[in-house]
Amino acid sequence: MTLKEKVDLCQGRSLWVLPGTEDGGVLELFVSDGPHGLRKQTGRGDHLGLNESVPATCFPTACALAASFDPELIERIGEALGEECRKEEVSLLLGPGANLKRSPLCGRNFEYFSEDPLVSGKLAAAWIRGIQRKGVGASLKHFAANNQEYRRMLTDSLVDERALRELYLKSFEIAVKEGKPWTVMTAYGRLNGTYCSENAWLLEEVLRKEWGFEGLTITDWGAMNDPVAACKAGLDWEMPGFENEDRWRLAEAVCAGELSEDCLDRRVRRILSGIEKIKKGREIPFCCRMEEHLSLAREAAENSAVLLKNDGILPGNRGQKIAVIGAMAKIPRYQGAGSSRIDPVELDCAWEAFAEAGCDAVYAEGYSLEKADPEEEERRIQEALLAVEGKDIVYLFIGLPPAEEAEGFDRAHMRIPETHRALVERISQVNPNLVLVLSCGAPVEMPWEICARGILLMYLGGCQSGHAAVNLLLGETAPSGRLAETFPMELADCPAAEYFPGRKNRAFYRESLLVGYRYYATAEVPVRYPFGYGLTYTDFSYGTMRAEREEKGIRVCVPVKNVGRREGKETVQLYSSLPQSEIFRPKRELRAFQKVFLRPGEETCVEFFLSEKELAYYNRMDGEWQVEGGEYVFLAGASCEDIRSRGTCKLSAAPAVQTKLPASEEYRKPCYPFRVTESAFRALYGREIPEERESTEFHRNSTLEDMNRTRLGRTLAWIFWHVAEKKAKKDPVMADMTAAVMREMPFRSLVMGTGGVVSSRQIDGLIDILNGHLWKGMKTILKKRSRLVKRR
């Protein structure tokens, strides 16, 4: 291959087309956004979900699917996604997202599974296995520690290595080893000082050598910072692709001796191998039946909904006089906003489902989904109060509107809209038989919980969530979802509250291992609803646990019996604890889970096997995983707080001498609210914290917001804002997301942001001009490619 052919293979051909070769010619490999549906754009493309895409099944988002605790169900969804991709000739679907939920404020939490790496990794692996079985590649994302949207393209996530290994990388490790994804997508930002797309430790040492990953690495769209450094670090594909200079920078680096051609050749060989795998995937037989996919979407929504509260009012029945209140009963909140936004092939709503069920029901809007004046909102509330008078039961649909959680920006608080809260309180005063149906992509504060007799959390349940909700409310199906994240009392209770999202371009993960339930259990902080929690319409009892040492690990058996009057599903969760531990550990950690279906009176023995590695901690001082000796306590329960059965088993320490890990009392005995001194974090971090140098000059990582420092910059910024505003006007819901993305976009990403209209060379020239070097900037813009590169 010529040098040009090699560098051409390293970058996409357009926004959604990967490079490929076939018999010396060009093979177009289409890629599309996911992960809860196919977002294939046939017209003008974009990476933010602004323009239309082909109709597809919109499955529940990851936040909902995680609550199913059902890998088999998610594997079937992966297969359905693969069939729809094959139908539309898409070779690679961007998903799943395996980032942990460090804070409930992250705007993209609806796309991620859990605050626990085991749940996240197992479910991501199931998704990957399903879609790749149908001959379509998965792209596991966003690798790694991508836990906020604020300044996501520039932020440096500063995480101590133990927390990184045991939490943030563990989720990806499980997904890679058990799912074997064809590609892994790098995150936008930096990890401990180095951009993820050019982080050799992350891509080579950890991903390939330690985990045995054999696929391709690919940048997130517009994430490339330095193409030469990325090539040296082991990155494969840069996306998207336009006629920009990155491929020529690679060629020029080879010609100048800055980059060895052997390094480029290794990259090209990996790419060619990956292309062959994609081509073979096209030979796998498939059959796409959209009706079956819609039924699967409804089944998934039913299995993912979490019954948070029930004093006996549920299930309801068709014979009751029903009031259905809330705009979301007719205009459902079923997915998040951003690159994962799906145009559903069919969309139902709860109000229609009540009508189809033959219910005697009335409807009132209750609130507006858009901004309205107070008089209009009061009129809606009054109509709702009239509608609920004398009714046997009231179903009130509330939640977070689309504009309040989306890709591109983080939430500022955890409250639901004031109009929703007021409606809850005022309806409860008129009719106490109130059931709330909550739609949101992340936890919310719920001081109004006391006003309702029942609460059903639908999360973002996909295009069939309306019928799913009604089936659950009327008892056609029993709820079986369990929370894969904690619902705290209030934002201030969260361990990351003081440190999220960080200062400008740095995010300090001072809470270390104390994420989610790991903190709440250790610090004994009361929560609204604990991790793993969920009710159903029957009851289960747990018998005496057996925990026995075997040659390669520990086998745990727990008898579980359905002692209620109807069939149901129970998610049995196994936690471990080491009370006499000499190192800093959370009070308990999830080690395994299993969902079982039992009929009334039926009993089964739920069995788990844990290898010693699964109980190990990472000792950064020795650079290895180690098992601490002692008597481990195993706890089986229906949530991390509802422990039903216990057992113990003794393990011996590894024969090698273990270096004692430093950890202050601030971590061993965390306080409330959570605070850690800088000195304690530095000691745990164990290395020099990368400096953040402020520059008075513009550079490729300056943002459009920074351009306001100069008169010319303000003019150019106005032009970019004007273009973005025109796009956003097509859909007001996307306005905040588009504004945040544009405001925080670094100059280097203008290639993608303008669809290739602006080239990398022009950006370099623009930077020179903004820095006062007009002629140098003009020469850069007009500079021709090296003749040596052209010859090779």
Side-chain angles (χ1 to χ4, degrees):
M1 298 174 70
T2 66
L3 182 59
K4 180 182 182 301
E5 288 173 334
K6 292 176 184 178
V7 297
D8 279 350
L9 267 182
C10 295
Q11 190 181 50
R13 299 197 182 282
S14 65
L15 188 66
W16 297 119
V17 178
L18 293 166
T21 59
E22 186 172 48
D23 299 327
V26 174
L27 171 67
E28 290 192 330
L29 305 173
F30 285 95
V31 56
S32 286
D33 266 320
H36 54 270
L38 172 65
R39 190 177 77 89
K40 182 184 179 182
Q41 294 180 308
T42 53
R44 183 171 176 79
D46 70 88
H47 71 292
L48 294 176
L50 298 172
N51 297 314
E52 291 183 356
S53 57
V54 297
T57 306
C58 181
F59 290 96
T61 60
C63 65
L65 291 178
S68 75
F69 278 80
D70 192 340
E72 292 182 7
L73 172 65
I74 293 172
E75 198 162 328
R76 289 165 55 206
I77 289 172
E79 291 178 348
L81 290 169
E83 291 167 356
E84 294 192 25
C85 286
R86 294 291 303 280
K87 175 174 171 282
E88 296 294 337
E89 299 183 334
V90 169
S91 300
L92 186 69
L93 193 66
L94 304 182
N99 296 103
L100 291 196
K101 300 183 180 185
R102 178 188 175 219
S103 166
L105 295 183
C106 175
R108 212 167 176 179
N109 271 355
F110 61 85
E111 251 185 272
Y112 303 141
F113 289 109
S114 178
E115 67 187 32
D116 183 86
L118 179 72
V119 176
S120 179
K122 291 286 187 182
L123 300 188
W127 192 100
I128 293 165
R129 288 193 299 270
I131 193 169
Q132 293 185 171
R133 187 175 294 119
K134 296 297 180 177
V136 176
S139 191
L140 180 66
K141 62 183 185 181
H142 307 89
F143 190 56
N146 188 147
N147 304 107
Q148 64 188 57
E149 291 299 287
Y150 172 70
R151 298 183 77 87
R152 61 180 178 168
M153 303 189 85
L154 300 169
T155 292
D156 189 1
S157 296
L158 300 170
V159 197
D160 71 274
E161 190 171 2
R162 188 171 169 216
L164 188 60
R165 293 276 193 169
E166 294 185 25
L167 297 182
Y168 298 101
L169 291 183
K170 177 60 70 174
S171 173
F172 287 92
E173 180 182 3
I174 295 169
V176 166
K177 289 181 175 179
E178 298 185 9
K180 302 188 184 327
W182 292 0
T183 70
V184 169
M185 181 193 292
T186 60
Y188 278 121
R190 293 171 288 171
L191 175 61
N192 291 328
T194 305
Y195 279 98
C196 292
S197 59
E198 54 198 59
N199 193 319
W201 176 82
L202 192 64
L203 302 182
E204 286 293 327
E205 294 300 317
V206 174
L207 181 62
R208 294 191 190 280
K209 293 180 182 178
E210 292 186 25
W211 299 351
F213 175 67
E214 296 180 346
L216 298 178
T217 52
I218 182 171
T219 67
D220 202 341
W221 267 230
M224 180 62 79
N225 175 61
D226 182 337
V228 177
C231 187
K232 292 178 179 179
L235 184 84
D236 297 317
W237 266 329
E238 176 188 353
M239 286 299 289
F242 300 105
E243 282 301 318
N244 67 30
E245 304 304 306
D246 280 359
R247 66 189 71 180
W248 291 104
R249 289 189 184 195
L250 284 178
E252 288 169 352
V254 171
C255 293
E258 181 187 354
L259 175 68
S260 75
E261 193 155 2
D262 284 345
C263 179
L264 179 63
D265 288 348
R266 286 194 297 272
R267 179 177 180 178
V268 171
R269 288 190 196 101
R270 289 195 301 263
I271 291 171
L272 292 173
S273 176
I275 289 170
E276 284 303 309
K277 184 178 290 187
I278 291 172
K279 287 162 65 175
K280 288 180 180 178
R282 293 178 168 186
E283 300 171 3
I284 296 174
F286 78 98
C287 181
C288 183
R289 297 184 178 89
M290 299 301 284
E291 298 83 3
E292 292 181 4
H293 295 179
L294 289 171
S295 296
L296 179 59
R298 185 177 302 184
E299 178 189 346
E302 290 171 351
N303 280 273
S304 301
V306 184
L307 184 59
L308 297 177
K309 183 177 182 179
N310 185 20
D311 69 355
I313 193 170
L314 292 176
N317 62 73
R318 291 180 174 81
Q320 294 173 310
K321 292 182 179 179
I322 298 170
V324 179
I325 310 296
M328 288 183 177
K330 281 191 174 181
I331 306 173
R333 176 83 204 287
Y334 63 99
Q335 66 173 330
S339 60
S340 65
R341 190 180 187 188
I342 309 302
D343 286 338
V345 66
E346 179 181 297
L347 178 62
D348 72 356
C349 73
W351 172 244
E352 291 176 354
F354 277 116
E356 290 175 18
C359 296
D360 178 10
V362 296
Y363 169 81
E365 187 180 22
Y367 53 81
S368 172
L369 290 174
E370 299 178 2
K371 291 182 179 179
D373 64 75
E375 289 186 5
E376 279 294 305
E377 292 292 12
E378 179 60 28
R379 179 187 60 78
R380 290 185 176 93
I381 289 176
Q382 290 298 329
E383 288 177 354
L385 295 179
L386 285 173
V388 304
E389 286 184 358
K391 298 299 185 292
D392 297 324
I393 194 167
V394 178
Y395 297 114
L396 172 56
F397 289 74
I398 60 172
L400 291 177
E404 293 206 14
E405 53 179 350
E407 179 182 353
F409 64 91
D410 298 312
R411 289 193 292 165
H413 56 77
M414 288 177 57
R415 300 184 296 275
I416 63 171
E418 181 61 23
T419 51
H420 295 218
R421 183 201 61 77
L423 195 59
V424 171
E425 293 176 354
R426 293 176 66 176
I427 285 179
S428 68
Q429 294 169 1
V430 175
N431 191 327
N433 298 318
L434 177 61
V435 174
L436 304 178
V437 183
L438 182 61
S439 295
C440 53
V444 294
E445 294 174 349
M446 300 172 65
W448 32 264
E449 172 203 43
I450 194 173
C451 298
R453 293 184 60 192
I455 303 175
L456 180 66
L457 173 65
M458 292 301 298
Y459 273 116
L460 304 180
C463 65
Q464 296 295 295
S465 57
H467 280 85
V470 172
N471 286 346
L472 292 163
L473 294 170
L474 298 181
E476 298 297 319
T477 304
S480 63
R482 302 292 184 267
L483 293 178
E485 59 192 328
T486 306
F487 272 53
M489 291 290 189
E490 57 184 8
L491 177 59
D493 295 345
C494 301
E498 183 72 13
Y499 312 110
F500 182 93
R503 298 193 299 268
K504 199 171 181 181
N505 291 339
R506 295 206 291 180
F508 290 88
Y509 287 51
R510 286 203 190 182
E511 68 280 2
S512 185
L513 294 173
L514 300 174
V515 176
Y517 74 88
R518 285 170 165 80
Y519 166 69
Y520 300 115
T522 305
E524 297 181 348
V525 177
V527 299
R528 181 73 63 182
Y529 298 112
F531 176 89
Y533 170 84
L535 304 174
T536 187
Y537 295 150
T538 189
D539 296 298
F540 298 92
S541 67
Y542 287 53
T544 302
M545 177 189 294
R546 295 198 324 273
E548 299 173 347
R549 185 79 169 87
E550 295 187 359
E551 183 180 354
K552 295 183 179 180
I554 297 171
R555 190 169 302 279
V556 177
C557 298
V558 187
V560 178
K561 183 177 182 179
N562 184 343
V563 294
R565 295 183 177 180
R566 60 177 293 170
E567 61 188 29
K569 297 176 182 177
E570 173 76 336
T571 297
V572 182
Q573 302 153 47
L574 182 67
Y575 299 85
S576 76
S577 177
L578 186 57
Q580 306 305 316
S581 175
E582 294 184 2
I583 65 170
F584 152 51
R585 282 179 182 269
K587 185 176 180 179
R588 62 180 62 111
E589 297 177 271
L590 183 70
R591 298 303 185 187
F593 61 88
Q594 192 176 138
K595 194 167 189 174
V596 294
F597 171 80
L598 296 173
R599 294 180 176 83
E602 187 178 0
E603 183 175 8
T604 188
C605 187
V606 179
E607 189 173 292
F608 304 101
F609 180 80
L610 302 177
S611 67
E612 287 194 1
K613 170 69 186 296
E614 291 174 271
L615 297 171
Y617 70 95
Y618 188 80
N619 190 325
R620 69 164 178 82
M621 305 288 286
D622 295 339
E624 64 182 16
W625 292 91
Q626 297 175 346
V627 176
E628 185 180 13
E631 189 169 61
Y632 284 77
V633 179
F634 295 97
L635 311 105
S639 80
C640 72
E641 291 187 0
D642 185 8
I643 303 302
R644 310 281 186 88
S645 186
R646 298 168 183 262
T648 61
C649 191
K650 195 169 185 177
L651 288 181
S652 300
V657 176
Q658 297 181 3
T659 306
K660 195 168 183 179
L661 286 171
S664 71
E665 287 299 298
E666 296 174 57
Y667 285 105
R668 293 178 184 275
K669 297 179 180 179
C671 64
Y672 169 79
F674 184 77
R675 299 287 187 277
V676 169
T677 60
E678 184 174 340
S679 60
F681 176 69
R682 282 181 178 273
L684 192 70
Y685 191 69
R687 61 179 121 171
E688 197 65 33
I689 292 179
E691 292 184 18
E692 186 70 19
R693 296 184 180 89
E694 292 288 341
S695 175
T696 56
E697 291 203 333
F698 292 102
H699 47 83
R700 288 176 65 84
N701 282 320
S702 296
T703 64
L704 299 186
E705 191 173 37
D706 296 334
M707 293 174 70
N708 289 316
R709 297 204 307 258
T710 69
R711 182 180 297 177
L712 174 61
R714 284 192 292 274
T715 302
L716 293 172
W718 182 88
I719 294 172
F720 287 123
W721 284 115
H722 182 66
V723 172
E725 192 177 34
K726 282 182 68 177
K727 285 185 177 182
K729 279 183 178 177
K730 295 179 181 179
D731 187 347
V733 170
M734 309 296 281
D736 288 343
M737 181 189 73
T738 306
V741 169
M742 291 296 293
R743 183 171 59 248
E744 298 168 5
M745 181 182 288
F747 288 173
R748 60 180 163 82
S749 295
L750 285 173
V751 177
M752 177 187 66
T754 61
V757 174
V758 177
S759 70
S760 292
R761 187 193 292 118
Q762 289 170 330
I763 290 169
D764 290 338
L766 173 63
I767 291 169
D768 286 333
I769 294 170
L770 287 170
N771 285 325
H773 309 300
L774 176 62
W775 295 115
K776 181 182 178 183
M778 294 302 296
K779 284 176 66 177
T780 301
I781 290 172
L782 299 173
K783 179 182 176 183
K784 293 184 178 180
R785 293 172 185 148
S786 162
R787 291 182 180 179
L788 180 60
V789 171
K790 287 184 177 181
R791 285 200 301 272
R792 291 189 61 177

